[in-house]
Amino acid sequence: MTAPVIEFRGVALDYPGPPPVTALKPCDLEIRQGEYVTVVGPSGSGKSTFLNLAGLLDLPSRGRYLLDGIDTAELADGARTALRGRRIGFVFQSFHLLPHRSAAENVALAMLYAPAQGHLGAADRRARAEAALAEVGLAHRAGALPSRMSGGERQRVAIARALVNRPSLLLCDEPTGNLDSATAESVLALLETLHAGGLTIVLITHDQQVAARAGRTVLIRDGVLREVAAV
Ligand code: ADP
């Protein structure tokens, strides 16, 4: 068995309100290295809350979160930010690329926020960015601006950016939500290739068909997280 990447032990998140809301009820969850897990649930069920906690963007109100065995509650803010930069790659529905920077520049910028890569000079960052773009099939588009790219290409750039620091975990928030079905298919196929190469992926979606493609699915409903039995 591989080591856990995500370990939630009684993790919960309360918003004080008014009115107070428990957006995620206390839950235990273990996601191991190399797993591909989808998280599904209706709007307002707690998916973003889960993503923000798993991505170290929010702190649990209760419980403990271990990322790669590191108890994140023990960390000061700067150390938590550094851990996030090094270990987690994010992919969002709306890509979040800088419009006036080329694909390679968008990818290279991610290295500035990961201290382990911070010592790299500009030429090395550029070379790594180009290698990450090649990994997602976009070597030939390194100099292109996002505004000149299709939605599928933009999402591939975002995936390259998420991969460039060699994270332990790829967190994807509705990565195909802005794409037509053929493009969505190619992005999902890319994620599946990355998973086959050993990457740990957690993908949030409201689309049952997208969810069903992963080996394991977790359902959140009214802030309650539970495993979906394999069919
Ligand atoms: P989803 O991503 O599944 O749509 P969310 O995680 O965004 O759901 O929200 C879960 C619950 O927490 C909802 O009831 C939502 O209204 C509530 N919520 C989300 N963010 C806040 C906030 N900043 N303050 C108070 N309640 C919030």
Side-chain angles (χ1 to χ4, degrees), residues 100-199:
H100 303 299
R101 303 291 192 123
S102 70
E105 286 169 337
N106 267 282
V107 175
L109 276 169
M111 280 176 267
L112 294 182
Y113 301 105
Q117 322 283 347
H119 63 279
L120 291 175
D124 286 337
R125 288 201 300 274
R126 172 88 192 187
R128 278 216 196 179
E130 286 176 359
L133 286 168
E135 220 178 315
V136 300
L138 283 183
H140 61 296
R141 301 289 273 149
L145 291 176
S147 56
R148 298 288 172 91
M149 301 181 117
S150 68
E153 285 178 326
R154 288 181 208 182
Q155 195 57 298
R156 281 168 187 270
V157 175
I159 293 171
R161 177 183 57 190
L163 293 177
V164 77
N165 294 320
R166 303 197 180 105
S168 344
L169 171 65
L170 192 66
L171 273 181
C172 307
D173 190 7
E174 299 276 7
T176 57
N178 274 349
L179 304 176
D180 64 71
S181 57
T183 310
E185 173 58 39
S186 77
V187 166
L188 290 173
L190 170 62
L191 292 174
E192 284 162 13
T193 304
L194 295 169
H195 168 239
L199 188 65

Side-chain angles (χ1 to χ4, degrees), residues 15-17 19 21-24 41-50 204 220:
Y15 288 113
V21 175
T22 298
L24 188 68
S43 181
S45 59
K47 299 185 299 298
S48 305
T49 302
F50 169 80
I204 294 190
I220 306 184

Side-chain angles (χ1 to χ4, degrees), residues 6 28-33 35-40 50 195 200-203 210-219 225-231:
I6 292 178
D28 295 317
L29 177 72
E30 197 170 271
I31 295 179
R32 293 182 169 270
Q33 257 169 35
E35 280 199 278
Y36 181 7
V37 180
T38 44
V39 178
V40 288
F50 169 80
H195 168 239
T200 310
I201 301 178
V202 175
L203 185 153
V210 172
R213 293 171 67 132
R216 179 179 167 199
T217 298
V218 167
L219 172 72
L225 185 149
R226 67 175 174 80
E227 298 281 339
V228 176
V231 280

